[in-house]
Amino acid sequence: MIPLLLELQKTDREILALRSELEAAPKQIREVDGKLSGARGAVAAGKEAHTRTLAARKKAELDVAEWREKARKFRAQSAAVKTNEAYKALQHEIANADAETAKAEDAQLDQMMAAEEAEKKVKAAEAVQKEAEQAVARERKEIENRARETNRKMLADISAREKLVREIPEEVREVYARQAKRHHGVALAEARNEQCRGCGMRILPHTYQEVHRPESRDLYTCENCGRILYAAEPAREASSNPTAASVS
């Protein structure tokens, strides 16, 4: 019976570990997907900056056109002026319009260069995002593949467990289930050196000898922690004054 229970305990612990791994997969996928947020944010910020530079370039183009038109009108008016004072005033306006046109053209050139630089940054950010998306896709696929394999193993273990359980009497299963629940899946403990290796307490000499008797078919549990005792090595002479004991 003990070999079956040990196999059952091993299988249950494997199922628990596999289920835990399977349940962690969605979180791992979310974490992997989260790696894209930075790359996507950089692209969005780059596009926003590019839009601003395009708007500034458009404004600069309008300013150039406006000042050129003013200069043209002032020059057209110069032929019609009658006095030197009016002519001088008009020449002043023309000079001012030409100066403002030059400044607007410089600003237009600056904005054109800024727009080109912003566009380059957007393309670079998009390239980084594409690489990140490909890397994330690979990681996500790996996680999903591992999850499928984990699920396959878990289903196989569950099937094996069902076969094991059918070979174990119901009353023994109840003891096992109770102790497994109490001790986080560890229902059995080795009896070694006159001690329960689960809790460290000493075992009654008679119980210790019975646990190690090869022909014994009875189950014995630790009087202190309740775990089912099993032998993994030949029994030693039990001491006559144990501090604690276990009985079936």
Side-chain angles (χ1 to χ4, degrees):
M1 190 59 60
I2 290 296
L4 287 175
L5 290 175
L6 285 171
E7 185 64 23
L8 179 60
Q9 178 171 273
K10 177 185 175 185
T11 302
D12 280 346
R13 290 176 67 79
E14 286 177 354
I15 291 172
L16 183 64
L18 292 169
R19 181 172 285 117
S20 177
E21 183 179 339
L22 197 60
E23 290 172 350
K27 181 181 177 182
Q28 291 172 348
I29 289 175
R30 288 194 298 272
E31 290 174 349
V32 167
D33 288 343
K35 294 179 181 179
L36 289 176
S37 60
R40 287 170 175 165
V43 171
K47 287 182 176 180
E48 185 178 346
H50 186 228
T51 299
R52 289 197 300 269
T53 59
L54 290 177
R57 187 179 73 177
K58 183 64 177 178
K59 182 180 182 303
E61 290 173 354
L62 293 174
D63 288 344
V64 169
E66 182 181 352
W67 283 111
R68 282 178 177 171
E69 180 62 18
K70 285 182 179 180
R72 186 192 66 78
K73 286 181 179 180
F74 289 142
R75 285 188 172 88
Q77 293 172 14
S78 64
V81 295
K82 303 298 183 180
T83 65
N84 286 335
E85 290 77 7
Y87 182 78
K88 289 179 180 179
L90 196 56
Q91 289 301 310
H92 176 75
E93 292 295 340
I94 291 172
N96 181 64
D98 286 343
E100 292 297 331
T101 298
K103 288 198 296 185
E105 287 174 342
D106 288 342
Q108 180 184 14
L109 182 59
D110 289 342
Q111 293 304 325
M112 287 175 63
M113 294 174 64
E116 289 175 0
E117 184 63 25
E119 185 177 5
K120 288 179 182 177
K121 289 182 178 180
V122 169
K123 289 180 178 179
E126 287 176 337
V128 170
Q129 178 179 320
K130 185 176 181 180
E131 290 179 3
E133 287 173 343
Q134 291 173 344
V136 164
R138 288 193 296 269
E139 281 192 66
R140 187 186 182 100
K141 186 175 181 179
E142 288 173 4
I143 293 170
E144 291 171 346
N145 287 341
R146 285 200 304 269
R148 280 192 290 271
E149 179 62 15
T150 298
N151 188 60
R152 185 193 66 77
K153 290 179 179 177
M154 187 176 72
L155 292 177
D157 279 348
I158 290 173
S159 177
R161 186 187 193 280
E162 291 172 352
K163 294 178 181 178
L164 278 171
V165 165
R166 287 196 290 268
E167 299 181 49
I168 301 172
E170 183 178 355
E171 62 273 14
V172 176
R173 294 202 307 266
E174 290 177 355
V175 175
Y176 169 86
R178 184 166 58 251
Q179 297 307 320
K181 182 177 180 180
R182 181 181 176 187
H183 299 293
H184 307 289
V186 184
L188 288 85
E190 182 186 354
R192 193 198 323 164
N193 297 335
E194 304 173 20
Q195 284 184 324
C196 167
R197 303 302 290 178
C199 65
M201 296 300 289
R202 296 187 70 81
I203 302 171
L204 282 172
H206 171 72
T207 301
Y208 186 74
Q209 293 296 337
E210 285 298 314
V211 169
H212 283 78
R213 191 163 58 84
E215 63 273 17
S216 177
R217 294 294 179 267
D218 294 328
L219 288 184
Y220 294 87
T221 58
C222 174
E223 191 174 79
N224 180 62
C225 68
R227 290 183 176 92
I228 300 168
L229 298 170
Y230 69 93
E233 61 180 28
R236 294 175 51 191
E237 275 302 315
S239 63
S240 57
N241 294 309
T243 57
S246 62
V247 294
S248 60

